[in-house]
Amino acid sequence: MAITPAPFANAVVTGACGGLGQALARQLLASGAAVALVGLDRQRLQALQDLAPERALIYTPEVSDGAAIRAMALDWISRHGTPDLVIANAGVAGGFDTAKAEDLAVMQRMLEINLLGVAATFQPFVAAMREQRRGALVGIASLAGRRGLPGNGAYCASKAGLIVYLQSLRAELRDAGLQVTTVSPGYLRTALTAGNRFAMPGLLEPDQAAARILAGVASGREDIVLPRRLGWLSKALALLPERLHERILLGQPRKPRVGEAGATAIPGLMPKKTNDE
């Protein structure tokens, strides 16, 4: 299938190691863009760089480390110039139980990556993008940020915070000619959903989602929900009485917590100490 040239010539993608981030980076490279590949798995990033070695560079900072992200941004701009697209895609997910003391560290790390990590990713590019008065900043949120889900409070809180942060940033940058887009996917077939023990209506493949996101951003959309029908379903459920809505959600299986079968690893989360340590 022919690749339609994208309007983006210079892009930065965090969380490019797998799933949605990898699909976004691959499609941008196929369209001819220069792409900063940001992630923690150098081997996976190398496979992407090999697709266009002259237009792709690998960076492995922790996204919540502002100094490391700034160093990455300065290096990229010095080599390829100011990006016209920055996609803050890096994120983690996992179940959460407030009654468990060890889960407080899970919430802290999730907020650091999913919320602070987005702001840290955008920060070193905003001034330069303002100067060129064009470009798009894209934050990958989630439909889970629009309604709290039992057993998933940390993730929902991080994505809800992200949605509101992006609203604030959009208002700040509109007059500067910059676009801020909030992407709220439902369920994507990635490592983050592989351990889910509940129904995932509207499940999308990463390549499908990436193509829709890039097309949406290119057309100037500021709020993208994938798939759209799941967004409509979410709005319809929100109209139900609170207790009925809760009863429906409480009947669903919970997302695995860290350490449980099917849980995904959270980078930088210190392992729980045993009594022998």
Side-chain angles (χ1 to χ4, degrees):
M1 185 175 71
I3 299 293
T4 301
F8 308 112
N10 184 327
V12 176
V13 181
T14 68
C17 294
L20 178 59
Q22 189 176 78
L24 288 163
R26 190 187 307 113
Q27 291 181 27
L28 285 163
L29 287 169
S31 75
V35 183
L37 305 167
V38 185
L40 297 178
D41 190 327
R42 180 172 287 276
Q43 185 174 357
R44 290 187 179 183
L45 296 178
Q46 185 64 58
L48 284 172
Q49 186 184 40
D50 290 344
L51 297 175
E54 73 287 358
R55 291 186 281 108
L57 288 175
I58 293 172
Y59 298 96
T60 57
E62 157 57 48
V63 292
S64 63
D65 183 340
I69 289 289
R70 284 192 294 275
M72 174 275 292
L74 287 172
D75 184 76
W76 176 257
I77 291 173
S78 71
R79 294 168 185 264
H80 289 278
T82 302
D84 48 26
L85 175 66
V86 178
I87 303 179
N89 166 74
V92 292
F96 179 79
D97 186 344
T98 301
K100 306 292 185 182
E102 61 269 25
D103 278 16
L104 293 178
V106 173
M107 174 177 264
Q108 177 176 331
R109 193 70 188 116
M110 210 171 291
L111 289 168
E112 288 173 348
I113 296 172
N114 294 356
L115 181 52
L116 176 61
V118 175
T121 297
F122 291 161
Q123 186 276 319
F125 295 108
V126 168
M129 293 174 79
R130 268 180 170 152
E131 286 185 13
Q132 68 181 14
R133 293 195 61 80
R134 63 180 176 82
L137 299 165
V138 180
I140 306 300
S142 169
L143 279 175
R146 303 188 178 204
R147 179 61 167 82
L149 303 174
N152 209 15
Y155 181 73
C156 292
S158 70
K159 294 300 186 178
L162 176 55
I163 289 171
V164 176
Y165 162 68
L166 292 170
Q167 289 173 339
S168 301
L169 187 63
R170 183 175 302 121
E172 294 168 17
L173 298 180
R174 189 181 300 281
D175 288 346
L178 303 186
Q179 175 183 333
V180 176
T181 297
T182 303
V183 180
S184 298
Y187 298 110
L188 305 181
R189 196 186 301 278
T190 68
L192 293 184
T193 60
N196 287 355
R197 299 172 292 205
F198 44 82
M200 294 186 285
L203 184 68
L204 283 177
E205 298 296 333
D207 284 335
Q208 292 176 293
R212 295 181 191 181
I213 290 168
L214 292 175
V217 175
S219 68
R221 289 177 60 188
E222 297 179 340
D223 190 22
I224 299 173
V225 176
L226 300 173
R228 286 189 178 183
R229 65 181 182 277
L230 200 58
W232 297 332
L233 175 61
S234 176
K235 289 181 179 179
L237 288 173
L239 297 176
L240 295 175
E242 186 81 3
R243 291 192 178 186
L244 176 57
H245 198 174
E246 289 174 358
R247 194 175 305 149
I248 293 171
L249 294 175
L250 284 169
Q252 301 300 311
R254 303 293 182 91
K255 192 170 185 68
R257 294 170 51 243
V258 171
E260 294 180 344
T264 53
I266 296 181
L269 184 65
M270 296 297 293
K272 185 175 67 172
K273 293 184 178 181
T274 67
N275 293 333
D276 296 330
E277 293 180 314

